[in-house]
Amino acid sequence: MRALNISDTALFELLTLRAKAYFELVKFRLSALVTFSAAFGFILGDSGTFFSWGSFVALIIGGFLITGASGAANEILERDYDKLMKRTQNRPLPLNQISLQEAYWFTFIVGFTGIGILWLFTNPLTTALGVLSMILYIFVYTPLKRVGPIAVFVGAIPGAMPPLLGWTAATGMIGHEALILFGIQFIWQFPHFWAIAWVSDEDYKKAGFKLLPSGGKKDLNTAIQIMIYTLFLLPLGLLPTYFGLTGLNSGIVATVCGVLFLAQTFSHMRDCSRKSALKIMFGSFLYLPIVQIAYLLDKI
């Protein structure tokens, strides 16, 4: 009986480690945040008498799977570079917790399952946008990270797709409202990614990643560009209110959050320090979900 207990414990620990490795491979937390943005777009887009629960659940599951597959494919392609960086050296592929062949099969199955769910239970437009997002993220953004800051522009396109996918899953079309949601998330990603690139600059250089603008320098020019893109969020954040997509309350919340976010960039322009860049990075993580939740509450 004792041997059986030891065996059961060992099996449980093994399964736990495997599950944790797969969670890391699909970038679970990032995929969950992306899925939230898709759900946000769906809820804002759905205007029917009865909420379309079938399409909504399919969007959540399918969207999470294609996002997870994209993250896994990114880790497969960057496995050798991840070994060089402190922030990524403990991912499952650098640690050989998952074999490369296993990772390929897992990514393929998860990705096609997600596409199939979107195709069967949403609509062709949403499926096509999901596939386009995967292609841009895996085959364009990922290799461009070693080329130059153009990667941030390209990566911002699939990064802004989730609310657009949510809207099309609910409505079957792309209207100006969907483009507004896309635009807010698109512009938000520039200060977000550049703050991350500033904080992780030494690590990124080890892998040859070139994401900072202004020749990749951590200087005033880069800080000014971070400020400019953050400034754009102020008028963009008011567009849902202006076009009647949401109410006045969310417009006020978006403005207050935008001003606080912008204030962090001015502080960064004064000292161009890693500490102030870190504040922008955390501020960007807070800005988007808070504003999106405000839009949702105003809609409901």
Side-chain angles (χ1 to χ4, degrees):
M1 180 64 71
R2 181 178 177 80
L4 180 61
N5 288 336
I6 294 174
S7 177
D8 288 345
T9 301
L11 178 60
F12 177 76
E13 291 178 351
L14 177 62
L15 291 175
T16 301
L17 289 174
R18 296 288 287 176
K20 183 179 179 182
Y22 280 113
F23 269 53
E24 290 289 334
L25 187 64
V26 299
K27 301 181 179 179
F28 184 85
R29 285 177 295 180
L30 176 61
S31 296
L33 288 172
V34 170
T35 305
F36 171 79
S37 288
F40 154 75
F42 187 98
I43 295 171
L44 283 189
D46 186 88
S47 57
T49 305
F50 299 101
F51 190 77
S52 305
W53 282 105
S55 296
F56 181 71
V57 173
L59 173 72
I60 297 297
I61 298 174
F64 181 85
L65 291 177
I66 65 172
T67 303
S70 298
N74 172 267
E75 291 196 25
I76 290 171
L77 294 174
E78 294 184 347
R79 60 191 182 279
D80 292 331
Y81 306 130
D82 284 346
K83 295 176 182 178
L84 305 174
M85 297 185 291
K86 185 177 181 180
R87 63 189 294 271
T88 56
Q89 62 188 8
N90 290 323
R91 285 178 172 174
L93 289 176
L95 293 179
N96 294 315
Q97 294 174 335
I98 299 175
S99 70
L100 183 58
Q101 183 178 15
E102 190 177 346
Y104 272 119
W105 276 109
F106 176 79
T107 302
F108 180 84
I109 293 171
V110 168
F112 273 86
T113 301
I115 293 170
I117 290 173
L118 292 182
W119 176 263
L120 291 173
F121 300 105
T122 60
N123 53 63
L125 177 58
T126 301
T127 307
L129 290 174
V131 172
L132 175 61
S133 179
M134 290 182 70
I135 291 172
L136 287 175
Y137 186 83
I138 298 169
F139 300 109
V140 185
Y141 164 70
T142 296
L144 279 179
K145 288 167 70 176
R146 288 173 53 83
V147 175
I150 185 64
V152 177
F153 175 83
V154 174
I157 298 173
M161 283 284 193
L164 185 61
L165 264 69
W167 185 276
T168 59
T171 67
M173 60 180 290
I174 299 176
H176 67 275
E177 303 95 339
L179 295 178
I180 289 171
L181 301 180
F182 175 88
I184 293 171
Q185 194 148 323
F186 178 80
I187 294 298
W188 164 83
Q189 287 176 94
F190 288 90
H192 172 71
F193 276 116
W194 283 336
I196 293 175
W198 189 299
V199 170
S200 304
D201 185 56
E202 289 74 18
D203 240 6
Y204 280 168
K205 283 180 178 176
K206 296 175 185 176
F209 292 160
K210 305 170 183 177
L211 299 179
L212 285 173
S214 302
K217 297 178 180 179
K218 296 191 294 182
D219 58 12
L220 180 59
N221 288 332
T222 295
I224 289 174
Q225 292 199 51
I226 293 174
M227 181 275 294
I228 291 173
Y229 279 88
T230 307
L231 181 63
F232 287 152
L233 288 174
L234 287 174
L236 282 172
L238 287 171
L239 289 181
T241 299
Y242 179 79
F243 283 98
L245 184 58
T246 61
L248 180 61
N249 290 334
S250 59
I252 294 173
V253 172
T255 300
V256 171
C257 289
V259 169
L260 294 174
F261 194 4
L262 184 63
Q264 293 177 321
T265 67
F266 283 119
S267 176
H268 184 53
M269 286 168 58
R270 283 196 297 269
D271 59 21
C272 292
S273 68
R274 186 180 185 276
K275 182 178 180 180
S276 58
L278 194 63
K279 290 181 180 179
I280 294 175
M281 186 181 77
F282 284 117
S284 68
F285 277 118
L286 292 174
Y287 172 86
L288 194 63
I290 289 175
V291 170
Q292 288 182 340
I293 290 172
Y295 288 148
L296 288 177
L297 292 176
D298 224 4
K299 161 87 180 213
I300 297 171

